[in-house]
Amino acid sequence: MKKLTVEVARKPGTEDLPLPAYQSEHASGMDLVAAVDAPLAIAPGARALVPTGLFVAVPPGYEAQVRARSGLAIKSGLCVLNGPGTVDADYRGEVGVILANLGAEGFTVERGMRIAQM
């Protein structure tokens, strides 16, 4: 099987944040973290585009999918609004995650918080 390589670059000022990583041996998705400069409040029923500080070069013929983290969904009602979100092979902008708060209480996204998986 041919090994797939995806180039990843960081936005300046996000070097303190971890790169996407698998959290267990059999995980299929790598966690993405929030690259917010200050806490970001998402009110019930609201949505927000959360930056990751990452730029990815997906090879032609492939896509990257951004999905909700089940723990955030069940505990807080937070979901990826266009889930799964798609990062196309020709997209070179910063990867952002559109989070929607379907819960009854506000939710605050903190810098470095695991917000989605790719």
Side-chain angles (χ1 to χ4, degrees):
M1 181 187 319
K2 183 179 177 184
K3 187 173 184 175
L4 182 66
T5 301
V6 177
E7 294 179 31
V8 177
R10 294 179 198 247
K11 184 176 181 177
T14 64
E15 297 82 6
D16 62 311
L17 299 173
L19 289 172
Y22 296 107
Q23 297 298 310
S24 68
E25 179 183 357
H26 299 291
S28 60
M30 295 181 280
D31 285 343
L32 296 174
V33 302
V36 293
D37 293 325
L40 173 63
I42 307 174
R47 61 190 177 273
L49 178 61
V50 182
T52 65
L54 298 175
F55 302 87
V56 296
V58 177
Y62 292 89
E63 69 168 334
Q65 293 188 351
V66 179
R67 300 177 182 274
R69 292 190 64 241
S70 57
L72 285 179
I74 192 66
K75 293 175 187 170
S76 304
L78 217 61
C79 70
V80 173
L81 189 58
N82 62 328
T86 297
V87 180
D88 290 309
D90 62 350
Y91 180 71
R92 293 297 181 265
E94 180 179 2
V95 174
V97 178
I98 303 170
L99 291 181
N101 183 353
L102 303 179
E105 298 182 14
F107 186 89
T108 301
V109 177
E110 304 277 349
R111 184 175 182 83
M113 176 183 284
R114 295 183 298 157
I115 56 166
Q117 54 187 326
M118 181 184 282

